[in-house]
Amino acid sequence: MPFEWLKSLIMAGLLSITQPSLAAELLVHSETALTSIGRDQLRAIFALQKAHWSDGSPIIVLRFASNTALHKSFCTQQLGVSPQQLEAVWERRVFTGQGRRPTIVQDEQEMLMEIARTPGAIGYISERIEHENVKFLTIDR
């Protein structure tokens, strides 16, 4: 068993770099007519392919920085893409003039406040928190 210490060291290292997966709750401004959203529609919104809600009002996409655990979790669990893939889509859409990069917020409180004061806004946080002018959407599987 001379290599048991090496095995323990490797396992400890792997555990230290593995982050728990965070659940992401999808939220919108309360005037948005939806109560649920399909995964394809959600992907189109965050890929900047769908720019308007069904009533014609503009969709304002809010997000966290690409290196945050919540953003990574949202991308992989809800959108089915990596943050790098989503970033590449945004770059292409912005470069070709077909979209505007989503607004980055610093923390969940800022996300709540921005969505509450911005009609048409959509974003995500780690857990449902009741807030005026904000409602949560369920994602149809």
Side-chain angles (χ1 to χ4, degrees), residues 11 16 20 23 25-26 29 39 43 46 54 62 64 79 83 89 92 97 103 119-120 132 140:
M11 289 305 292
S16 70
E25 297 286 342
L26 188 64
H29 187 274
R39 190 161 312 277
R43 285 184 186 122
F46 276 86
S54 59
L62 302 173
F64 294 103
L79 303 178
V89 168
R92 191 169 40 258
T103 302
E132 188 176 349
D140 300 331

Side-chain angles (χ1 to χ4, degrees), residues 13-140:
L14 289 174
L15 289 174
S16 70
I17 61 171
T18 304
Q19 296 180 0
S21 180
L22 295 172
E25 297 286 342
L26 188 64
L27 66 157
V28 294
H29 187 274
S30 61
E31 292 177 2
T32 304
L34 299 176
T35 57
S36 67
I37 189 168
R39 190 161 312 277
D40 289 340
Q41 185 178 14
L42 182 62
R43 285 184 186 122
I45 289 170
F46 276 86
L48 308 178
Q49 295 170 333
K50 181 173 175 59
H52 295 90
W53 295 110
S54 59
D55 67 359
S57 63
I59 297 173
I60 310 299
V61 178
L62 302 173
R63 69 173 186 105
F64 294 103
S66 294
N67 63 347
T68 62
L70 185 54
H71 180 71
K72 291 175 186 177
S73 179
F74 177 75
C75 288
T76 57
Q77 292 180 6
Q78 307 300 350
L79 303 178
V81 298
S82 72
Q84 295 82 5
Q85 289 170 311
L86 191 56
E87 203 63 55
V89 168
W90 292 335
E91 290 298 323
R92 191 169 40 258
R93 304 235 6 124
V94 169
F95 181 74
T96 59
Q98 298 175 332
R100 191 180 87 154
R101 193 177 323 282
T103 302
I104 297 175
V105 297
Q106 300 303 312
D107 56 41
E108 294 188 56
Q109 186 62 37
E110 183 181 0
M111 179 71 80
L112 277 170
M113 298 305 290
E114 285 298 317
I115 289 178
R117 69 173 155 237
T118 310
I122 186 170
Y124 51 93
I125 59 176
S126 64
E127 63 183 278
R128 290 181 183 237
I129 300 171
E130 295 303 317
H131 192 280
E132 188 176 349
N133 293 329
V134 166
K135 70 178 176 180
F136 289 88
L137 300 182
T138 58
I139 301 171
D140 300 331

